[in-house]
Short mmCIF file of all heavy atoms in Angstrom, two decimals:
data_model
loop_
_atom_site.label_atom_id
_atom_site.label_comp_id
_atom_site.label_asym_id
_atom_site.label_seq_id
_atom_site.Cartn_x
_atom_site.Cartn_y
_atom_site.Cartn_z
N ILE A 277 -1.91 -20.05 -28.52
CA ILE A 277 -1.21 -18.91 -28.14
C ILE A 277 0.35 -19.01 -28.19
O ILE A 277 1.13 -18.32 -27.59
CB ILE A 277 -1.38 -18.87 -26.44
CG1 ILE A 277 -1.01 -20.12 -25.70
CG2 ILE A 277 -2.84 -18.35 -26.22
CD1 ILE A 277 -0.81 -19.82 -24.25
N VAL A 278 0.79 -20.00 -29.03
CA VAL A 278 2.25 -20.19 -29.24
C VAL A 278 2.59 -19.13 -30.22
O VAL A 278 2.04 -18.79 -31.25
CB VAL A 278 2.41 -21.57 -30.05
CG1 VAL A 278 3.79 -21.72 -30.41
CG2 VAL A 278 2.11 -22.69 -29.03
N TYR A 279 3.65 -18.38 -29.86
CA TYR A 279 4.36 -17.41 -30.73
C TYR A 279 5.46 -18.09 -31.39
O TYR A 279 6.33 -18.67 -30.83
CB TYR A 279 4.93 -16.30 -30.01
CG TYR A 279 3.87 -15.34 -29.32
CD1 TYR A 279 2.46 -15.64 -29.15
CD2 TYR A 279 4.37 -14.16 -28.67
CE1 TYR A 279 1.66 -14.67 -28.57
CE2 TYR A 279 3.50 -13.24 -28.08
CZ TYR A 279 2.17 -13.54 -28.01
OH TYR A 279 1.40 -12.69 -27.43
N LYS A 280 5.37 -18.00 -32.81
CA LYS A 280 6.28 -18.85 -33.50
C LYS A 280 7.74 -18.19 -33.82
O LYS A 280 8.68 -18.79 -34.15
CB LYS A 280 5.62 -19.28 -34.91
CG LYS A 280 4.39 -20.05 -34.56
CD LYS A 280 4.12 -21.32 -35.43
CE LYS A 280 3.25 -22.32 -34.91
NZ LYS A 280 1.80 -21.86 -34.73
N LYS A 281 7.68 -16.85 -33.79
CA LYS A 281 8.97 -16.12 -34.27
C LYS A 281 9.23 -14.84 -33.58
O LYS A 281 8.35 -14.34 -32.73
CB LYS A 281 8.58 -15.83 -35.82
CG LYS A 281 7.29 -14.95 -35.93
CD LYS A 281 7.02 -14.51 -37.29
CE LYS A 281 5.79 -13.59 -37.29
NZ LYS A 281 5.25 -13.22 -38.57
N VAL A 282 10.43 -14.35 -33.73
CA VAL A 282 10.67 -13.07 -33.13
C VAL A 282 10.09 -11.93 -33.86
O VAL A 282 9.44 -10.95 -33.41
CB VAL A 282 12.34 -12.92 -33.13
CG1 VAL A 282 12.62 -11.41 -32.73
CG2 VAL A 282 12.87 -13.84 -32.02
N GLY A 283 10.09 -12.01 -35.18
CA GLY A 283 9.32 -11.14 -36.03
C GLY A 283 10.08 -10.02 -36.60
O GLY A 283 11.11 -9.63 -36.12
N GLU A 284 9.60 -9.44 -37.72
CA GLU A 284 10.26 -8.50 -38.43
C GLU A 284 10.48 -7.16 -37.70
O GLU A 284 11.59 -6.49 -37.69
CB GLU A 284 9.80 -8.30 -39.89
CG GLU A 284 8.29 -7.87 -39.91
CD GLU A 284 7.30 -9.07 -39.69
OE1 GLU A 284 7.80 -10.16 -39.17
OE2 GLU A 284 6.17 -8.75 -39.88
N ASN A 285 9.38 -6.66 -37.00
CA ASN A 285 9.54 -5.32 -36.36
C ASN A 285 10.51 -5.49 -35.16
O ASN A 285 11.28 -4.51 -35.06
CB ASN A 285 8.09 -5.03 -35.86
CG ASN A 285 7.21 -4.45 -37.12
OD1 ASN A 285 7.79 -3.77 -37.90
ND2 ASN A 285 6.00 -4.93 -36.98
N ALA A 286 10.34 -6.48 -34.38
CA ALA A 286 11.18 -6.70 -33.24
C ALA A 286 12.63 -6.73 -33.68
O ALA A 286 13.61 -6.09 -33.13
CB ALA A 286 10.90 -8.12 -32.42
N ARG A 287 12.94 -7.41 -34.77
CA ARG A 287 14.30 -7.60 -35.38
C ARG A 287 14.83 -6.30 -35.83
O ARG A 287 15.93 -5.87 -35.40
CB ARG A 287 14.19 -8.71 -36.45
CG ARG A 287 15.58 -9.08 -36.93
CD ARG A 287 15.75 -10.56 -37.45
NE ARG A 287 15.82 -11.41 -36.38
CZ ARG A 287 15.22 -12.70 -36.28
NH1 ARG A 287 14.48 -12.94 -37.27
NH2 ARG A 287 15.49 -13.51 -35.31
N PHE A 288 13.93 -5.60 -36.57
CA PHE A 288 14.41 -4.22 -37.01
C PHE A 288 14.72 -3.31 -35.91
O PHE A 288 15.76 -2.66 -35.93
CB PHE A 288 13.18 -3.67 -37.96
CG PHE A 288 13.45 -2.34 -38.55
CD1 PHE A 288 14.33 -2.06 -39.64
CD2 PHE A 288 12.95 -1.24 -37.78
CE1 PHE A 288 14.64 -0.94 -40.13
CE2 PHE A 288 13.22 0.08 -38.46
CZ PHE A 288 14.06 0.26 -39.39
N PHE A 289 13.93 -3.37 -34.96
CA PHE A 289 14.02 -2.44 -33.73
C PHE A 289 15.41 -2.70 -33.02
O PHE A 289 16.29 -1.91 -32.89
CB PHE A 289 13.02 -2.59 -32.80
CG PHE A 289 13.14 -1.66 -31.60
CD1 PHE A 289 12.79 -0.41 -31.53
CD2 PHE A 289 13.61 -2.33 -30.50
CE1 PHE A 289 13.15 0.42 -30.30
CE2 PHE A 289 13.89 -1.41 -29.26
CZ PHE A 289 13.65 -0.13 -29.24
N ILE A 290 15.66 -4.13 -32.77
CA ILE A 290 16.91 -4.46 -32.18
C ILE A 290 18.16 -4.15 -33.04
O ILE A 290 19.18 -3.62 -32.39
CB ILE A 290 16.93 -6.00 -31.72
CG1 ILE A 290 15.71 -6.13 -30.68
CG2 ILE A 290 18.18 -6.39 -31.18
CD1 ILE A 290 15.51 -7.62 -30.48
N GLU A 291 17.98 -4.32 -34.32
CA GLU A 291 19.14 -4.05 -35.08
C GLU A 291 19.48 -2.60 -35.35
O GLU A 291 20.61 -2.16 -35.44
CB GLU A 291 19.07 -4.82 -36.46
CG GLU A 291 19.48 -6.34 -36.25
CD GLU A 291 18.91 -7.25 -37.25
OE1 GLU A 291 18.55 -6.69 -38.29
OE2 GLU A 291 19.03 -8.52 -37.18
N ASN A 292 18.35 -1.91 -35.47
CA ASN A 292 18.57 -0.39 -35.97
C ASN A 292 18.12 0.58 -34.94
O ASN A 292 18.67 1.77 -35.13
CB ASN A 292 17.79 -0.21 -37.34
CG ASN A 292 18.13 -1.24 -38.38
OD1 ASN A 292 19.33 -1.15 -38.72
ND2 ASN A 292 17.38 -2.11 -38.67
N LYS A 293 17.31 0.45 -34.06
CA LYS A 293 16.75 1.43 -33.30
C LYS A 293 17.18 1.48 -31.84
O LYS A 293 16.69 2.31 -31.13
CB LYS A 293 15.19 1.38 -33.40
CG LYS A 293 14.65 1.69 -34.76
CD LYS A 293 14.69 3.18 -35.01
CE LYS A 293 14.60 3.32 -36.54
NZ LYS A 293 14.90 4.83 -36.86
N LEU A 294 17.84 0.43 -31.36
CA LEU A 294 18.06 0.41 -29.96
C LEU A 294 18.96 1.59 -29.71
O LEU A 294 20.08 1.84 -30.23
CB LEU A 294 19.00 -0.91 -29.68
CG LEU A 294 18.29 -1.96 -29.16
CD1 LEU A 294 19.32 -3.18 -28.70
CD2 LEU A 294 17.38 -1.70 -27.82
N PRO A 295 18.65 2.36 -28.67
CA PRO A 295 19.40 3.51 -28.30
C PRO A 295 20.73 3.25 -27.57
O PRO A 295 21.58 4.02 -27.44
CB PRO A 295 18.51 4.33 -27.32
CG PRO A 295 17.40 3.33 -26.85
CD PRO A 295 17.39 2.29 -27.88
N PHE A 296 20.88 1.92 -27.06
CA PHE A 296 22.16 1.48 -26.52
C PHE A 296 22.15 -0.08 -26.36
O PHE A 296 21.12 -0.71 -26.71
CB PHE A 296 22.38 2.02 -25.05
CG PHE A 296 20.95 2.40 -24.44
CD1 PHE A 296 19.95 1.50 -24.26
CD2 PHE A 296 20.76 3.72 -24.07
CE1 PHE A 296 18.71 1.94 -23.76
CE2 PHE A 296 19.55 4.05 -23.48
CZ PHE A 296 18.44 3.16 -23.39
N GLU A 297 23.33 -0.47 -26.12
CA GLU A 297 23.30 -2.04 -26.04
C GLU A 297 22.68 -2.44 -24.84
O GLU A 297 22.73 -1.96 -23.80
CB GLU A 297 24.93 -2.44 -26.08
CG GLU A 297 25.19 -3.76 -26.47
CD GLU A 297 26.52 -4.28 -26.28
OE1 GLU A 297 27.45 -3.38 -26.38
OE2 GLU A 297 26.68 -5.44 -25.99
N LEU A 298 21.91 -3.66 -24.97
CA LEU A 298 21.18 -4.32 -23.97
C LEU A 298 22.17 -4.84 -22.96
O LEU A 298 23.25 -5.35 -23.26
CB LEU A 298 20.22 -5.35 -24.47
CG LEU A 298 19.20 -4.99 -25.31
CD1 LEU A 298 18.43 -6.19 -25.93
CD2 LEU A 298 18.24 -4.04 -24.61
N THR A 299 21.82 -4.84 -21.63
CA THR A 299 22.73 -5.38 -20.72
C THR A 299 22.55 -6.92 -20.82
O THR A 299 21.43 -7.58 -21.30
CB THR A 299 22.31 -5.04 -19.29
OG1 THR A 299 20.91 -5.45 -18.98
CG2 THR A 299 22.43 -3.57 -19.09
N GLU A 300 23.41 -7.73 -20.25
CA GLU A 300 23.33 -9.14 -20.31
C GLU A 300 21.98 -9.70 -19.59
O GLU A 300 21.34 -10.66 -20.17
CB GLU A 300 24.58 -9.85 -19.45
CG GLU A 300 25.72 -9.89 -20.33
CD GLU A 300 25.60 -10.33 -21.80
OE1 GLU A 300 25.17 -11.37 -22.02
OE2 GLU A 300 26.14 -9.70 -22.71
N ASP A 301 21.63 -9.10 -18.54
CA ASP A 301 20.34 -9.52 -17.88
C ASP A 301 19.18 -9.07 -18.58
O ASP A 301 18.25 -9.91 -18.64
CB ASP A 301 20.39 -8.80 -16.38
CG ASP A 301 21.19 -9.56 -15.47
OD1 ASP A 301 21.82 -10.63 -15.90
OD2 ASP A 301 21.10 -9.22 -14.30
N GLN A 302 19.28 -8.04 -19.37
CA GLN A 302 17.96 -7.62 -20.20
C GLN A 302 17.95 -8.71 -21.31
O GLN A 302 16.77 -9.26 -21.60
CB GLN A 302 18.28 -6.35 -20.89
CG GLN A 302 17.87 -5.15 -19.92
CD GLN A 302 18.22 -3.72 -20.47
OE1 GLN A 302 19.32 -3.58 -21.15
NE2 GLN A 302 17.38 -2.79 -20.21
N LYS A 303 18.99 -9.07 -21.89
CA LYS A 303 19.00 -10.14 -22.90
C LYS A 303 18.55 -11.39 -22.36
O LYS A 303 17.75 -12.21 -23.01
CB LYS A 303 20.39 -10.34 -23.61
CG LYS A 303 20.87 -9.29 -24.45
CD LYS A 303 22.24 -9.65 -25.05
CE LYS A 303 22.99 -8.41 -25.50
NZ LYS A 303 24.46 -8.63 -25.65
N LYS A 304 18.99 -11.87 -21.22
CA LYS A 304 18.60 -13.09 -20.63
C LYS A 304 17.04 -13.16 -20.39
O LYS A 304 16.33 -14.08 -20.58
CB LYS A 304 19.24 -13.23 -19.19
CG LYS A 304 18.98 -14.52 -18.51
CD LYS A 304 19.40 -14.45 -17.12
CE LYS A 304 18.49 -13.56 -16.26
NZ LYS A 304 19.00 -13.32 -14.91
N VAL A 305 16.49 -12.04 -19.85
CA VAL A 305 15.11 -11.98 -19.52
C VAL A 305 14.22 -12.04 -20.71
O VAL A 305 13.20 -12.68 -20.79
CB VAL A 305 14.83 -10.76 -18.64
CG1 VAL A 305 13.24 -10.66 -18.45
CG2 VAL A 305 15.42 -10.74 -17.28
N ILE A 306 14.78 -11.28 -21.78
CA ILE A 306 13.95 -11.32 -23.05
C ILE A 306 13.94 -12.77 -23.61
O ILE A 306 12.93 -13.30 -24.05
CB ILE A 306 14.71 -10.40 -24.14
CG1 ILE A 306 14.37 -8.94 -23.69
CG2 ILE A 306 14.10 -10.66 -25.54
CD1 ILE A 306 15.23 -7.88 -24.39
#
Side-chain angles (χ1 to χ4, degrees):
I277 58 160
V278 175
Y279 289 11
K280 302 219 158 65
K281 54 180 183 187
V282 170
E284 57 284 9
N285 288 317
R287 187 149 279 143
F288 177 77
F289 178 81
I290 293 169
E291 281 164 11
N292 303 297
K293 293 284 158 192
L294 259 189
F296 21 61
E297 203 188 325
L298 294 174
T299 63
E300 284 312 308
D301 279 2
Q302 283 173 320
K303 287 185 202 158
K304 180 197 73 184
V305 172
I306 291 169

